[in-house]
Amino acid sequence: MEDVKGEPGVIELKNVSKLYDGSNEVALEKMSLEVGQGEFLFLVGPSGAGKSTLIKLLFREQLPTEGVINFENKDITKYRKRDILEYRRRIGMIFQDYKLIKQKTVFENVAFALEVLGHSPMSIQKKVTEALDKVGLSHKATSFPRELSGGEQQRVGVARAIVKDPVLILADEPTGNLDRDNALQLMQLLEKINDEGTTMIIATHAWDLVDRMQKRVISLAGGKLKRDEKGGYSDE
Amino acid sequence: MNRHAFRYCMRQSMQSLSRNAWLAVITSGLIAISLIILGGFFLVTTNVNQFIRNVESNIEVSVFLNEGVNETEIQQRIEQLEGVVSQSFVPKEEGLYDFGRNMGDPALLRDLEGENNPLPDLIRVRVEDPEKVVAVAETINTYPEVELVDYGEELVARLMQITGRLNFLFLVLGVAIALGAIFLIVNIIRLSAVARQEEVVVMKYMGASDGYIRFPFLMEGMVMGWIGTVVAILTLGFIYFRLTSSFSQDSLILLFQPVTDIGRLLPIFIGLMLGGTLMSAFGSFVSIRKYLKV
């Protein structure tokens, strides 16, 4: 496996399997994977291939049935409540449905990620302004999510993820609700953020974007790893 | 939670209250209604108890003395008995006069004055509560100077029975109404938390601790509870004092004097205040617990 930036692994999966309660089908089977610092990685595959399950495991929203998931050489499956909070504070998450808080303005939605961390108002002001600037939404700071287009809302989601300078960003179908142009813009934005050193793991169906970006692609089918190489969506 | 986070939480609570103003108004209103019912019940109970106590304190033990006995000496002994509030001596001349007056004309009984007066001297004894009446009466009855003791045995027994039943009824009703109010308030607050469950989930995803997420909800719940309670207390207070002032003007109702002593009303109002606020906080606490498991 090619370790793109040659840094030590941020994420390491060893023989990870996931079986949902009351289901005989394995969502993930004996999956092993290493993701280096600063890598840009696509998780692709048909629906039910295990992409979302993998993202949920990495976000520590679910626990694997067996196996080890290391983050910076510590097994996150062994984390206690306190550790999970700390872990989530160090990683950014981008959702298909944006998950913005409707009652909060764009600025407040982004600021929120830092308020949780107990940053001072001054530091919040500075960092949020920078993050909104980076995603090109400074002029919408006082708008509410309902006043924004889908593409803009997702960029707020990205700003919220990057504002705390995360080591790793997990994205579950981030372009799923966006049109082609907005989707492409978003991917370019994520690539720019990756260039600054943030590791990116993106689960997606958007084969055209994956083809275009030419990054490392992990292809899953039926819960198993089918392909792991740099290139396009399919192996032809 | 550091200082910044705390300040943020406070601001967050106030902001969310103002942005969900209608929800807050409805919630406070419903809390007010349930507390008005509960508080109204307590006020009625207090007044019924007061009424019973008035009736009870009107129970007297009549002590009829033998001829030619020194009443002062007996009065001193009665004074020592437990539960005796006051006593008054009614000489037989005065008894005869009262009797005559009750019959319509004291002159009718003129023939019975002086040596012919058939009435004994009388001491009226007031006892602080009906449970002690029997003991006091029986003790006095053992004095050799006493001819007869009368204290309306049946009335006392009946009163004690009614009081016992009423107290039990009030206890059951009180518990039921209080539970109803708690249930209502907890559920009202729960509705307002359901309306914001998405927010809680996002907070969890951002790595917010449970305490951090809960805090603004607790604050909001308490503020809504507090507003509801103040409204309830003002409404109850207004209605109550309007009613009681119209009662006291009506001198016909002698025994029923409503409680206006602030020392006895204050605990009810303070209790409502604390209860309403705490119940709302508890409601918030319980309501968001299930959304915290992400």
Side-chain angles (χ1 to χ4, degrees):
Chain A
M1 190 199 309
E2 185 193 10
D3 205 351
V4 180
K5 308 254 160 108
E7 300 269 346
V10 177
I11 290 281
E12 191 186 5
L13 277 76
K14 292 181 192 163
N15 290 319
V16 172
S17 296
K18 175 71 182 174
L19 201 85
Y20 286 105
D21 291 342
S23 161
N24 291 325
E25 271 180 62
V26 274
L28 276 183
E29 200 179 331
K30 300 248 176 249
M31 174 94 148
S32 292
L33 180 68
E34 198 173 328
V35 184
Q37 171 68 48
E39 267 198 85
F40 193 114
L41 183 148
F42 282 118
L43 291 176
V44 303
S47 295
K51 304 189 298 289
S52 286
T53 300
L54 185 51
I55 292 283
K56 286 195 172 90
L57 292 177
L58 289 176
F59 194 53
R60 189 51 171 80
E61 199 178 331
Q62 290 177 358
L63 279 170
T65 317
E66 59 175 1
V68 172
I69 304 174
N70 281 333
F71 171 71
E72 295 177 341
N73 296 319
K74 287 205 183 80
D75 188 358
I76 67 168
T77 65
K78 301 250 170 18
Y79 276 0
R80 283 173 311 185
K81 220 172 167 183
R82 186 82 238 161
D83 305 319
I84 299 172
L85 296 184
E86 288 302 327
Y87 173 63
R88 287 185 178 168
R89 289 170 184 186
R90 294 199 51 209
I91 60 178
M93 182 82 194
I94 300 169
F95 307 89
Q96 178 172 3
D97 56 357
Y98 326 130
K99 292 220 189 303
L100 301 178
I101 298 171
K102 294 188 198 81
Q103 298 90 337
K104 288 181 190 285
T105 64
V106 165
F107 186 93
E108 288 162 358
N109 263 287
V110 179
F112 183 65
L114 294 178
E115 280 157 350
V116 166
L117 300 175
H119 280 237
S120 72
M122 254 175 56
S123 138
I124 290 176
Q125 181 71 37
K126 182 168 165 283
K127 282 175 172 283
V128 174
T129 311
E130 280 170 14
L132 286 178
D133 205 35
K134 208 174 270 179
V135 302
L137 282 176
S138 306
H139 59 297
K140 299 273 186 178
T142 55
S143 302
F144 285 92
R146 60 174 182 276
E147 297 161 347
L148 305 181
S149 72
E152 286 170 330
Q153 290 191 47
Q154 192 57 296
R155 269 146 62 200
V156 177
V158 173
R160 184 179 61 189
I162 60 171
V163 73
K164 52 187 176 182
D165 301 320
V167 186
L168 166 71
I169 288 183
L170 298 173
D172 192 5
E173 300 284 355
T175 60
N177 289 2
L178 303 182
D179 62 35
R180 236 190 90 79
D181 287 346
N182 272 309
L184 181 61
Q185 270 183 29
L186 190 88
M187 279 302 176
Q188 286 165 345
L189 180 61
L190 294 180
E191 191 177 24
K192 205 172 93 188
I193 294 161
N194 172 248
D195 284 342
E196 290 167 17
T198 309
T199 310
M200 216 39 97
I201 299 180
I202 300 171
T204 187
H205 269 116
W207 57 270
D208 53 334
L209 291 172
V210 176
D211 280 346
R212 196 181 168 125
M213 309 268 296
Q214 292 294 308
K215 301 286 184 187
R216 181 177 169 195
V217 177
I218 303 282
S219 178
L220 302 176
K224 289 186 183 135
L225 196 152
K226 289 286 173 208
R227 187 168 69 98
D228 177 3
E229 62 187 13
K230 197 166 172 175
Y233 190 87
S234 51
D235 37 10
E236 291 100 52
Chain B
M1 192 185 290
N2 70 14
R3 164 174 71 95
H4 296 306
F6 179 77
R7 267 230 308 269
Y8 163 75
C9 274
M10 293 299 286
R11 203 184 66 226
Q12 168 71 21
S13 312
M14 295 309 125
Q15 208 173 53
S16 147
L17 275 174
S18 68
R19 282 185 190 158
N20 302 298
W22 273 110
L23 191 64
V25 167
I26 293 168
T27 310
S28 303
L30 287 170
I31 291 173
I33 291 170
S34 45
L35 288 176
I36 286 171
I37 295 172
L38 186 63
F41 172 76
F42 284 141
L43 288 174
V44 168
T45 316
T46 308
N47 277 287
V48 170
N49 281 333
Q50 160 103 340
F51 172 71
I52 290 174
R53 212 164 302 153
N54 279 345
V55 172
E56 285 172 357
S57 63
N58 275 287
I59 295 174
E60 277 181 349
V61 178
S62 302
V63 180
F64 299 97
L65 303 179
N66 286 327
E67 195 72 27
V69 166
N70 177 4
E71 78 278 357
T72 339
E73 192 258 334
I74 296 175
Q75 274 184 304
Q76 274 165 6
R77 266 191 280 163
I78 290 176
E79 181 113 33
Q80 307 297 318
L81 296 175
E82 199 204 326
V84 171
V85 177
S86 65
Q87 50 179 322
S88 59
F89 176 67
V90 185
K92 58 184 183 181
E93 296 76 23
E94 194 181 322
L96 186 69
Y97 177 78
D98 287 347
F99 186 46
R101 209 175 49 176
N102 283 345
M103 286 176 63
D105 185 2
L108 283 174
L109 302 172
R110 195 158 293 150
D111 290 349
L112 298 175
E113 278 173 16
E115 289 292 310
N116 297 328
N117 189 342
L119 297 178
D121 286 335
L122 169 71
I123 300 175
R124 292 188 203 277
V125 180
R126 284 207 165 184
V127 181
E128 66 183 8
D129 79 68
E131 284 169 31
K132 290 182 181 145
V133 164
V134 182
V136 167
E138 279 172 359
T139 313
I140 296 174
N141 208 16
T142 61
Y143 300 167
E145 301 88 341
V146 171
E147 187 187 338
L148 181 72
V149 174
D150 178 34
Y151 63 92
E153 286 165 85
E154 278 182 18
L155 179 65
V156 170
R158 186 118 191 91
L159 254 180
M160 278 167 55
Q161 196 184 26
I162 291 173
T163 317
R165 281 185 190 165
L166 269 182
N167 280 339
F168 178 71
L169 184 71
F170 284 160
L171 185 72
V172 171
L173 274 178
V175 168
I177 294 178
L179 283 179
I182 292 174
F183 180 78
L184 193 63
I185 290 174
V186 167
N187 277 289
I188 295 160
I189 298 272
R190 176 174 303 198
L191 281 183
S192 70
V194 169
R196 292 172 51 199
Q197 85 186 78
E198 262 188 350
E199 195 176 328
V200 173
V201 171
V202 176
M203 284 176 153
K204 283 293 279 191
Y205 281 147
M206 296 290 116
S209 67
D210 290 357
Y212 186 89
I213 297 173
R214 230 173 229 149
F215 187 84
F217 278 91
L218 284 186
M219 284 300 296
E220 282 170 56
M222 277 168 76
V223 169
M224 287 189 284
W226 192 75
I227 293 173
T229 314
V230 170
V231 170
I233 288 175
L234 290 178
T235 312
L236 268 181
F238 179 74
I239 296 174
Y240 187 73
F241 285 103
R242 282 298 287 269
L243 276 177
T244 52
S245 56
S246 73
F247 264 126
S248 359
Q249 279 161 12
D250 195 343
S251 53
L252 280 176
I253 310 169
L254 276 175
L255 284 176
F256 184 69
Q257 282 307 314
V259 179
T260 48
D261 172 16
I262 202 72
R264 283 175 60 197
L265 294 177
L266 212 55
I268 295 180
F269 288 123
I270 291 177
L272 283 179
M273 190 89 213
L274 286 176
T277 314
L278 289 179
M279 268 188 248
S280 310
F282 174 71
S284 311
F285 189 84
V286 173
S287 318
I288 59 162
R289 200 180 41 185
K290 73 175 198 195
Y291 303 120
L292 290 175
K293 292 176 192 149
V294 180

